[in-house]
Amino acid sequence: MPATLRDGRTLVPLYLLKQTGASVTWDSEKYNVDLTFPNPTKDYANSIQSFNTKAKEHSAKNVQLIYNEHGPYMKIDLELSNDSNKNNDNIIFLSRFVANSPADMLIVSTIHNNRVMSFIAINRTDAEEFLKNKTPEFDYIKKWRFQQINDTTDMSTPNKLPVVPTPTPTSTLPVSGPICREIMTNYAKQMQDAAESYNGNGSSDSKGFEQYINKFKESMNAALKSNHCP
């Protein structure tokens, strides 16, 4: 039977509650039903110790489930090796942890010589898709978000998306100013010097000289265009 409304209250069949993961126990003596709903966070927290044991087999430790204003995330410390392929294999193995957790994201702190070098952030949904063989390994790795550690990195909230500064818009409107006049004066002087040199040498190759001057003009026009000169 489906759920029904009666006297302003919703009556839900017990089999529907079982489908949500609830434990249903019938007490025939008291003629009542005991319901116990799973607590994913509590159940997961109880598994942290076993996860740490598995993590150590892959050069990782300190498995944590953390909540902050940006959402729940899992944090794991990974000791880097000199083999990048091995490092990726370790991270892929650790992805199984977050895929079976209430966390939205896996944060891998990469460590070298006892120093945190970077964060690698992996969305749980991406890990789930990969583990279901719906995403090739190469494409899965490309979805990871890398963040190098520097003086401005907020290590207390690694699941906070980095702020990308808005680039300053560049005007494409024609600009007439000192730089434009300087470009034209510069090239005009070079062309004048080239003409005087040609006349002084008594050369009869007028076609070659014209091509030479045209190259000067092309260079000048390119310089004017790049500086938005009219």
Side-chain angles (χ1 to χ4, degrees):
M1 291 183 62
T4 59
L5 287 174
R6 183 180 298 176
D7 298 329
R9 306 180 71 178
T10 303
L11 303 182
V12 181
L14 294 180
Y15 80 92
L16 288 180
L17 294 178
K18 285 185 177 181
Q19 290 179 6
T20 66
S23 173
V24 181
T25 304
W26 169 250
D27 189 331
S28 58
E29 293 183 0
K30 296 180 180 179
Y31 206 71
N32 64 12
V33 176
D34 291 330
L35 293 175
T36 303
F37 289 92
N39 185 331
T41 301
K42 182 179 179 181
D43 295 342
Y44 183 76
N46 293 333
S47 304
I48 291 292
Q49 185 174 354
S50 63
F51 285 151
N52 267 306
T53 301
K54 295 178 182 178
K56 289 178 182 178
E57 299 174 4
H58 292 265
S59 304
K61 58 184 180 180
N62 296 334
V63 179
Q64 302 176 59
L65 181 62
I66 301 174
Y67 285 82
N68 64 13
E69 68 273 24
H70 305 290
Y73 69 96
M74 175 191 288
K75 184 174 179 296
I76 303 178
D77 296 338
L78 174 67
E79 188 69 37
L80 293 176
S81 69
N82 294 325
D83 186 343
S84 60
N85 289 327
K86 182 179 179 181
N87 293 332
N88 286 342
D89 288 343
N90 287 335
I91 294 172
I92 287 172
F93 176 84
L94 299 174
S95 298
R96 299 177 184 276
F97 295 175
V98 72
N100 297 297
S101 79
D104 295 330
M105 183 177 291
L106 169 67
I107 303 292
V108 179
S109 301
T110 61
I111 298 175
H112 182 65
N113 291 334
N114 298 318
R115 181 178 172 223
V116 178
M117 307 300 294
S118 65
F119 287 131
I120 298 175
I122 303 172
N123 290 327
R124 179 167 60 88
T125 52
D126 292 335
E128 290 173 337
E129 291 294 303
F130 171 72
L131 295 173
K132 293 176 182 176
N133 297 319
K134 293 183 178 181
T135 306
E137 182 175 305
F138 178 74
D139 293 332
Y140 176 51
I141 293 174
K142 285 199 302 183
K143 291 183 178 182
W144 300 353
R145 177 164 55 85
F146 295 83
Q147 184 179 5
Q148 294 298 126
I149 301 299
N150 55 47
D151 293 339
T152 62
T153 302
D154 187 354
M155 297 181 65
S156 64
T157 56
N159 59 331
K160 177 182 178 181
L161 292 175
V163 178
V164 179
T166 304
T168 304
T170 303
S171 174
T172 57
L173 296 176
V175 178
S176 179
I179 190 170
C180 301
R181 291 193 293 272
E182 182 179 348
I183 290 172
M184 297 181 69
T185 301
N186 211 12
Y187 276 95
K189 177 71 168 57
Q190 293 183 55
M191 285 187 281
Q192 183 180 356
D193 291 342
E196 290 177 357
S197 176
Y198 172 81
N199 293 329
N201 292 332
S203 176
S204 59
D205 185 11
S206 59
K207 187 174 181 180
F209 174 72
E210 184 177 354
Q211 292 176 345
Y212 185 67
I213 291 297
N214 285 337
K215 287 184 178 180
F216 269 104
K217 290 180 180 179
E218 290 174 3
S219 298
M220 179 185 71
N221 290 333
L224 290 171
K225 184 178 179 180
S226 65
N227 285 276
H228 310 296
C229 298

